[in-house]
Amino acid sequence: MTANIIDGKAFALGLRERIATQVATFREATGRVPGLAVVLVGEDPASAVYVRNKHKATVAAGMASFEHKLSAHTSQADLLALVDQLNADPAVDGILVQLPLPGHIDERAVITRIDPDKDVDGFHPVNAGRLATGLEGFVPCTPLGCLMLLKDQLGDLAGLDAVVIGRSNIVGKPMAQLLVKESCTVTVAHSKTRDLSSVVKRADIVVAAVGRPEMVKGEWIKPGACVIDVGINREPAQPGGSNGRLVGDVDFAGALSVAGAITPVPGGVGPMTIAVLLRNTMISAHRREDVSYDKDAW
Ligand code: NAD
């Protein structure tokens, strides 16, 4: 068997096109466009790249992008004051504070200061609670993107055995909640899990969100399983100075001959994150203007 390679890039592109169409409809109905504010504190190069990509994607979808680049020495009080200002700004539908923040700033204090109804990253405890209790809220972008790929691949997920490897607040835990909501039987594995290979072996769905290059081996995978690889790991630089290649948490070559379907790295889950961020911002704008929307359409 050779697994179907799930093209997250193409799926994300389609989603972004549907969002752009909806932006035009929203603009006609309300006379304004949805707005996303992104706050970057400091000069972390990876964060700067993400923020640039988010800005480009937001503008390409026809939305307003408000960028706030602050020095690494910005005080927590000043950052919280900016969040308050964005919470109160009617042109801003979504607020994203790029993580990680410099060490002198308490990330939790910043995340909890964002208005939960503008928290398009879905990291606020109110949104985590809404997800856990089945209320409408914002779901973190990466796990929601994974769910979209799974449903596109498998259709109805009810009754399937799913293993989520990783229990972070931004990927593992919300992923598990989403799969429970889809009526999967869910196991959450983590750094203290015993005999991970046999836990993975039982699963029809494997979501790997660990941050360890190629940790999940092909022989752990149940034949025909659907494998979603969230991990993004850069291998060491080559002797010639060129960047090392990007690899996921799954041994892609090994899994390819066993799995039914698998996301590649890059080009699998990665492109979904920004597309879902735009979707969440779009939904926020509709809710705030009391315009009806079909959340399943985008
Ligand atoms: P994290 O470091 O917060 O969490 C990692 C989790 O892995 C922890 O819950 C830990 O218990 C578990 N873990 C560690 N070692 C393990 C082991 N040996 N066996 C089983 N579980 C183990 O990481 P995160 O923020 O959830 O991100 C995970 C990975 O996903 C990273 O590679 C990150 O770069 C990537 N990521 C990708 C996207 C994307 O857009 N594609 C978004 C977020 C994160």
Side-chain angles (χ1 to χ4, degrees):
M1 177 190 284
T2 301
N4 177 29
I5 297 176
I6 300 171
D7 190 345
K9 209 170 162 183
F11 191 99
L13 202 65
L15 180 56
R16 284 168 58 169
E17 281 168 5
R18 293 195 294 283
I19 291 166
T21 307
Q22 192 61 33
V23 168
T25 311
F26 179 84
R27 185 183 201 156
E28 271 171 35
T30 64
R32 73 173 187 94
V33 294
L36 173 65
V38 177
V39 181
L40 174 66
V41 186
E43 272 105 42
D44 176 57
S47 295
V49 172
Y50 291 138
V51 166
R52 203 176 320 129
N53 290 342
K54 282 167 190 164
H55 171 77
K56 275 193 209 154
T58 307
V59 171
M63 299 190 193
S65 170
F66 308 104
E67 278 188 300
H68 295 268
K69 293 184 179 165
L70 309 181
S71 117
H73 305 294
T74 302
S75 69
Q76 180 164 319
D78 283 350
L79 179 56
L80 292 176
L82 173 60
V83 171
D84 289 343
Q85 185 194 313
L86 297 173
N87 283 340
D89 187 341
V92 172
D93 298 292
I95 302 170
L96 182 151
V97 177
Q98 184 66 44
L99 303 179
L101 290 169
H104 66 279
I105 296 177
D106 176 2
E107 283 187 359
R108 225 169 250 262
V110 176
I111 289 170
T112 52
R113 191 70 158 245
I114 297 171
D115 176 349
D117 293 332
K118 290 190 177 187
D119 168 41
V120 285
D121 246 345
F123 295 167
H124 194 292
V126 165
N127 282 316
R130 286 169 171 164
L131 175 61
T133 55
L135 295 174
E136 246 338 72
F138 290 113
V139 177
C141 303
T142 301
L144 184 53
C146 293
L147 183 72
M148 287 178 181
L149 295 178
L150 280 167
K151 288 175 83 165
D152 184 56
Q153 200 61 40
L154 301 173
D156 185 10
L157 308 183
L160 296 179
D161 282 315
V163 168
V164 178
I165 317 175
R167 56 177 163 182
S168 70
N169 288 336
I170 63 167
V171 190
K173 280 184 204 156
M175 187 74 240
Q177 297 281 5
L178 286 169
L179 291 167
V180 168
K181 210 166 155 194
E182 294 297 322
S183 301
C184 293
T185 303
V186 182
T187 304
V188 180
H190 46 75
S191 53
K192 300 281 191 281
T193 296
R194 293 184 197 154
D195 196 7
L196 183 60
S197 61
S198 49
V199 173
V200 171
K201 195 83 195 176
R202 294 198 298 266
D204 305 303
I205 293 170
V206 180
V207 180
V210 184
R212 289 179 174 245
E214 301 179 325
M215 185 193 82
V216 177
K217 304 299 173 205
E219 61 265 27
W220 298 7
I221 308 288
K222 176 177 171 178
C226 188
V227 179
I228 304 291
D229 191 350
V230 184
I232 302 176
N233 311 288
R234 188 165 296 278
E235 289 193 323
Q238 300 303 300
S242 62
N243 277 340
R245 95 197 147 107
L246 282 184
V247 295
D249 290 343
V250 179
D251 164 21
F252 184 79
L256 201 56
S257 56
V258 193
I262 184 167
T263 56
V265 177
V269 173
M272 292 300 292
T273 301
I274 289 182
V276 176
L277 176 69
L278 300 179
R279 171 202 178 269
N280 284 355
T281 305
M282 168 69 85
I283 286 184
S284 177
H286 280 67
R287 284 187 192 144
R288 296 181 64 250
E289 295 289 346
D290 207 13
V291 176
S292 67
Y293 62 94
D294 173 7
K295 68 180 167 54
D296 296 322
W298 26 270

